[in-house]
Amino acid sequence: MPETSSENLVRRLAEQGPMSVGEYMRWCLTGREDAYYRDGNPLGGAGDFVTAPEVSQIFGELISMWACAVWQSAGAPSPFTLAELGPGRGTLMQDAIRASRSVPEFHEAARVHLVETSATLRETQRQTLIHACTPEWHEDISALPAVATLAIANEFFDALPVEQYVFSQGEWRRRMVALNDQGELAFAVGGFAPPPMHLLPKAPPCEGDILEHHPDVIPIMNELGRRAKTAPLALVLADYGYERLDYGDTFQAVRHHGYASVFETPGEIDLSAHVSFTELRMAAEAAGLQVFGPMPQGDFLLALGLEQRLRQLLANADLSEEQRATLFLGARRLADPFQMGSLFKVMAITSADVPPPPPFANSVASKG
Ligand code: SAH
């Protein structure tokens, strides 16, 4: 019988010793051919979790209008790259392309590029978008064309590996994944490893405090910063996360829409960590980019016209009562502060030559 991914991991830990939390997360999500974001089917009712574009078509439609407004403010470059990082089932892009038809110049200038590690999801995206556009796929953002770029990232950054540091016996040590005496996966404390100084909260740490760092954010922002020097660039990202530098453990597993142990069936289960918007901001600013927000997702969508779009859709006399209820409840779930409206936040990151994007236009940009 072929080795399961759990058996493979246990053997690897037995042979090579403990791995850091970040290495473990990378191994589970993208590190192997059969990793979760290489050949899993994570999204939707039958998968592990549901995302905003799967909840309501209005999400992708409003993101499309956002992209169109930024495109116009950047001088309507043609052609331009409409990129999505981690497009899931392709639902957001499908809704965005359909909505973009109302601005034909924008629609015609857009070249769709998808950054996706999963072969299974690439195939789903191809099928979803078959009548909408002819995308090109890339393994990472460095392969995107060097032209004006509008990029979208919904629940992408939370899937990137998180490194954890534990304050133990008066010093910072790396948090590891190891085998315990029973040969099961367990957390362990590694050797001395100082976390990045700029991520330390003002309050001194107590014994057992955990500090998180997202190492992949830095190369991504550096790559965007490099591109922003030669062509206009804007990225809008939505994710759940926190704004203040703080201690805490947000590493989590979700299976079939409920929380699970991060050690359950490694490589076959959703692992994520809350996004640190401060870390994103610092990395983007250090790369010379402008940062706007974050603002609560509900405020962002309402400012972009969520209610007007909902009313427009409900005005269709052919809809059944059930379709009406789905549209109404979906829109409410996205914006309601007790649902996805405030846990999820939206941030925009742009090149210095792009004017403040809506609805951040009235807020002050922080420049790198
Ligand atoms: N944006 C989608 C899906 C979110 S799930 C939605 O809102 O429905 C995370 C997505 O990012 C999946 O498509 C996953 O395969 C992809 N992904 C995860 N890690 C990635 C990485 N390192 N590089 C590129 N894509 C990645």
Side-chain angles (χ1 to χ4, degrees):
M1 272 226 310
E3 194 180 37
T4 64
S5 42
S6 295
E7 287 162 355
N8 181 285
L9 181 70
V10 167
R11 186 168 55 79
R12 192 196 138 126
L13 289 169
E15 283 169 11
Q16 298 176 22
M19 48 171 58
S20 73
V21 168
E23 286 164 347
Y24 173 69
M25 197 170 165
R26 196 182 301 281
W27 186 94
C28 290
L29 296 185
T30 58
R32 297 153 36 84
E33 237 169 65
D34 59 353
Y36 190 68
Y37 285 133
R38 293 267 174 214
D39 91 348
N41 223 340
L43 286 138
D48 290 329
F49 57 94
V50 172
T51 55
E54 304 291 336
V55 166
S56 170
Q57 67 183 77
I58 301 178
F59 190 77
E61 292 171 347
L62 294 179
I63 294 282
S64 180
M65 292 301 98
W66 180 90
C68 183
V70 176
W71 175 75
Q72 277 161 344
S73 77
S78 179
F80 75 95
T81 293
L82 182 59
E84 188 173 354
L85 316 183
R89 302 209 294 196
T91 311
L92 192 162
M93 190 54 85
Q94 185 189 32
D95 294 332
I97 296 289
R98 189 185 57 252
S100 76
R101 289 185 199 278
S102 64
V103 187
E105 311 77 42
F106 174 66
H107 178 78
E108 274 148 34
R111 305 286 178 273
V112 175
H113 290 262
L114 305 177
V115 177
E116 176 59 69
T117 44
S118 166
T120 309
L121 289 176
R122 281 187 185 199
E123 179 51 24
T124 309
Q125 292 153 17
R126 196 185 63 76
Q127 284 174 17
T128 306
L129 296 169
I130 206 153
H131 300 299
C133 58
T134 39
E136 274 183 47
W137 280 269
H138 308 283
E139 177 77 14
D140 63 66
I141 57 166
S142 65
L144 292 173
V147 294
T149 301
L150 293 171
I152 303 160
N154 186 59
E155 290 207 47
F156 169 76
F157 283 94
D158 66 276
L160 299 180
V162 68
E163 284 295 355
Q164 294 188 325
Y165 300 86
V166 195
F167 194 71
S168 170
Q169 295 166 354
E171 62 181 16
W172 284 108
R173 295 158 184 262
R174 205 178 286 277
R175 198 170 192 218
M176 312 295 286
V177 173
L179 296 176
N180 64 16
D181 294 343
Q182 287 80 47
E184 298 157 344
L185 297 181
F187 285 114
V189 176
F192 171 69
M197 290 296 287
H198 65 284
L199 298 181
L200 285 170
K202 282 210 177 75
C206 302
E207 179 70 18
D209 272 346
I210 288 176
L211 191 77
E212 296 188 338
H213 164 46
H214 301 78
D216 290 13
V217 161
I218 297 165
I220 291 175
M221 290 306 158
N222 285 346
E223 177 64 25
L224 295 179
R226 204 176 56 72
R227 286 160 176 275
K229 292 196 172 67
T230 53
L233 178 139
L235 164 69
V236 63
L237 65 102
D239 233 308
Y240 50 93
Y242 53 97
E243 288 179 60
R244 282 186 23 243
L245 292 178
D246 210 348
Y247 305 111
D249 173 12
T250 74
F251 183 36
Q252 64 181 33
V254 169
R255 156 158 271 166
H256 301 324
H257 309 272
Y259 290 106
S261 156
V262 293
F263 297 135
E264 189 182 315
T265 57
E268 296 169 35
I269 184 174
D270 171 58
L271 295 178
S272 65
H274 286 211
V275 165
S276 164
F277 285 98
T278 305
E279 187 173 13
L280 280 181
R281 164 187 293 280
M282 287 174 169
E285 288 175 354
L289 296 159
Q290 302 187 100
V291 179
F292 302 89
M295 69 161 62
Q297 174 172 290
D299 294 355
F300 177 83
L301 295 175
L302 288 168
L304 288 183
L306 178 83
E307 285 174 329
Q308 293 84 329
R309 180 61 187 143
L310 176 63
R311 242 178 274 133
Q312 216 176 27
L313 289 168
L314 292 176
N316 179 351
D318 296 336
L319 293 181
S320 67
E321 277 313 307
E322 197 186 334
Q323 286 170 318
R324 262 170 226 287
T326 305
L327 278 171
F328 177 79
L329 293 174
R332 194 169 72 182
R333 185 164 162 198
L334 292 183
D336 184 346
F338 294 105
Q339 300 188 60
M340 297 173 81
S342 61
L343 176 64
F344 282 77
K345 297 180 179 62
V346 181
M347 185 177 236
I349 294 175
T350 75
S351 50
D353 53 354
V354 171
F360 302 100
N362 296 330
S363 58
V364 181
S366 69
K367 294 199 185 192

